[in-house]
Amino acid sequence: MKRLNRFGFTAAILVLVMSLVLAACGGKKESNGSSASASGSAPASSDNSGGKSGSKTELLFWTPFSGPDGSFMKSIVDNYNKQSDKYFVKYQIQPNGDYYKLLDNAFGTKKNMPDFMIMHLDSIPTYAKKDLLLPMDDLAAKAGIQKSDYVEAAVDYANIDGKWMGIPLDIHPLIMYYNKDLFQAAGITAPPTNKEEFLAAAKKLTDPSKGQWGYVMPTQWPQQFLFPSLVYQQGADLADADGKPTLNTPAAVAALEFEKSLIFEHKVSPQKVAQDGEVKLFLQGKNAIQFNGPWMKDQWDKAKLNYGVAPIPVFFDKPGVFAGSHNFVVPKSQTDPNKLDGIGDFLKYVAGHSIDWAKSGQAVASKAVLNSEEFKALNTQQTEVAKEFDYVHFAPPVPNWGSYVGELWKQINLVLLNDGDVKKALDEAQAKAEQAAAANK
């Protein structure tokens, strides 16, 4: 089921998934966006708005951007505040690991509720089902914002029951990083674009005697991006058109068999890779190819790596890649017409001025910025990421999807660590997903 024109999540297992995926907004991993359940009271948050509101209408804006990306959003907010004579956006960064817990607590207690906030795209179905989000159609129309202003993939996903529930800021798909120095030393002149080229390059780049590997297979994060991408490339998905989980299809088996083969058959990856082991080896110049998200750019740059960026190779039948997306949403409880006008005014400003967000390494969803000369003049990463927009997929638009796939990530980890039976593992994941689906009705 293709969801087109997409670096880590309200049950106990969902909280565990969120602890992985939300770390991305802290500068390391990216989220697949499922929500955590509400509990506890909200700790103090970071107020990074700068300046004073004075007589302007103040708009409280929450984000989970507590990593290096936070300063890029702050720049947008600060510049907006300087030029607006009516509204003042108070920018608050909430602790990324607790973001959805704090948001759920605000919804539940009706205290400390932001006027608008960032939400991961694949969390929107969960909150929309709970009737907690305000449809953006009227706000957008009044502000002069149109769906055609943005990349279709994210807009289509956020249309639920004919209502536009989230306005996209960016799309962050899985991408390929590669070590240019290792490629040059191996005589490889271009990044691989398909399975055959990938295997040839990975074997050429592997030298166990030097502790050097062509590709290091992650056994945990970011499997949440990698495994679905391989499924999508076979024209399949992790749920059917009715939202029922399909985790043990022939396509899913083929995807995991391929991942496993890179370790135990082709031997281009070391065995028993620990969490973030592939990142550590890439930073050390011992891992030639790394699949991860655009959020890794800052880490590579600080390490002064000589790296290149390219789309994920087509390993199966056609291009396909899993993506996440940050979206602006408004709580349904927000009914103040003046504040709603102010939110629309800010979002209209962002649509034309999100180049600062693009400088963080992200490819923004605003077509005006994507098509600008300023965006095209940025370094290779952003433009390479944007190449994947035509075939990105997001998580199935199923409320509480994270609770369906918690066992899947566990079983993939066990298979890749222990050379386990792929079909048996995926059957177990499917059984647990069906239980979650029954509980979700």
Side-chain angles (χ1 to χ4, degrees), residues 133-276:
L133 300 181
L134 181 75
M136 305 291 276
D137 303 84
D138 291 343
L139 179 154
K142 194 168 183 179
I145 296 171
Q146 301 180 31
K147 294 176 182 178
S148 59
D149 295 336
Y150 303 94
V151 175
E152 289 80 2
V155 172
D156 290 348
Y157 188 99
N159 271 276
I160 299 175
D161 296 330
K163 298 176 181 179
W164 193 13
M165 305 306 296
I167 293 178
L169 170 63
D170 60 35
I171 297 176
H172 37 268
L174 190 72
I175 55 176
M176 177 168 60
Y177 293 104
Y178 60 96
N179 186 305
K180 288 185 175 181
D181 293 333
L182 293 180
F183 269 57
Q184 183 177 8
I188 303 172
T189 59
T193 62
N194 56 45
K195 182 188 290 186
E196 292 72 24
E197 292 175 359
F198 176 84
L199 288 174
K203 290 176 180 179
K204 200 169 186 179
L205 290 159
T206 297
D207 188 344
S209 68
K210 296 180 180 179
Q212 177 180 308
W213 303 94
Y215 173 72
V216 178
M217 175 62 68
T219 61
Q220 299 183 62
W221 178 271
Q223 279 294 336
Q224 289 84 347
F225 277 62
L226 177 56
F227 177 76
S229 296
L230 299 177
V231 172
Y232 301 149
Q233 290 189 359
Q234 299 173 73
D237 205 337
L238 299 181
D240 64 18
D242 296 320
K244 298 177 181 178
T246 54
L247 308 185
N248 59 347
T249 62
V253 171
L256 188 51
E257 288 284 11
F258 174 67
E259 290 191 6
K260 178 182 168 182
S261 75
L262 297 180
I263 304 171
F264 300 103
E265 178 185 344
H266 300 293
K267 302 184 186 301
V268 298
S269 170
Q271 296 184 23
K272 300 188 182 301
V273 176
Q275 175 68 60
D276 295 330

Side-chain angles (χ1 to χ4, degrees), residues 328-378:
F328 296 100
V329 298
V330 177
K332 190 174 183 180
S333 58
Q334 178 52 264
T335 59
D336 185 328
N338 191 34
K339 287 199 172 189
L340 292 174
D341 287 348
I343 294 167
D345 188 67
F346 176 72
L347 298 186
K348 180 68 173 179
Y349 177 88
V350 172
H353 297 82
S354 53
I355 190 67
D356 281 327
W357 187 246
K359 290 175 182 176
S360 73
Q362 298 279 5
V364 296
S366 166
K367 290 181 179 178
V369 175
L370 282 175
N371 294 327
S372 70
E373 292 303 319
E374 193 173 2
F375 179 81
K376 294 175 183 177
L378 292 175

